[in-house]
Amino acid sequence: MTPLGQRIRELRRERGVSQKDMASAIGVSAAYLSALEHGHRGVPSWPMIQKIIGYFNVIWDDAEELQKLAEGSRPRVVVDTSGLSPAATQVANLLATAVGELSEAELLALGDQLREALARRKGA
């Protein structure tokens, strides 16, 4: 399941809406919506994200959260390290090998470390 899929499911359940009803309302099949929630579909297009935002009638911060979750919800990630340092290739391979073995807490901590490192680089 992707972060976006998890949030869509949470919003549907909070509002007591079935996949079938939501899918019909936003103009997709229930199978597509199920695949999106389970991480079997790629990141939806911006117009589709807007339909989801509109369907749940979310505004400002919640809409921005859905957009950010969509951006980080690619279920099949390919990391091309050609032209990068050997350390970059090593880290990419290590992550690919270990990601399924790490606990949820370890994954969250690693994500936080990466976000902090990127924020420091942008601020420098």
Side-chain angles (χ1 to χ4, degrees):
M1 183 173 285
T2 65
L4 177 64
Q6 181 179 13
R7 185 66 183 129
I8 290 171
R9 179 177 284 180
E10 289 169 358
L11 288 167
R12 272 193 322 94
R13 289 186 174 165
E14 287 170 9
R15 289 163 173 79
V17 177
S18 71
Q19 279 183 343
K20 182 179 176 182
D21 290 342
M22 179 180 171
S24 176
I26 64 172
V28 298
S29 69
Y32 171 84
L33 187 55
S34 176
L36 184 62
E37 284 186 9
H38 286 92
H40 300 297
R41 295 294 301 212
V43 175
S45 66
W46 173 239
M48 179 56 63
I49 294 169
Q50 288 178 312
K51 286 181 182 182
I52 294 167
I53 289 168
Y55 178 77
F56 290 119
N57 197 28
V58 297
I59 57 172
W60 308 112
D61 291 343
D62 292 332
E64 187 176 331
E65 177 200 12
L66 282 173
Q67 183 179 355
K68 286 182 180 181
L69 289 175
E71 292 168 2
S73 291
R74 292 177 196 89
R76 287 177 172 57
V77 178
V78 175
V79 179
D80 181 4
T81 62
S82 57
L84 300 179
S85 72
T89 301
Q90 184 179 29
V91 168
N93 281 282
L94 183 58
L95 183 57
T97 303
V99 71
E101 305 292 323
L102 298 172
S103 71
E104 197 69 15
E106 291 168 325
L107 290 168
L108 291 170
L110 183 57
D112 287 345
Q113 288 178 329
L114 289 171
R115 277 187 287 281
E116 288 171 12
L118 290 171
R120 281 193 304 273
R121 290 187 58 85
K122 288 181 182 179

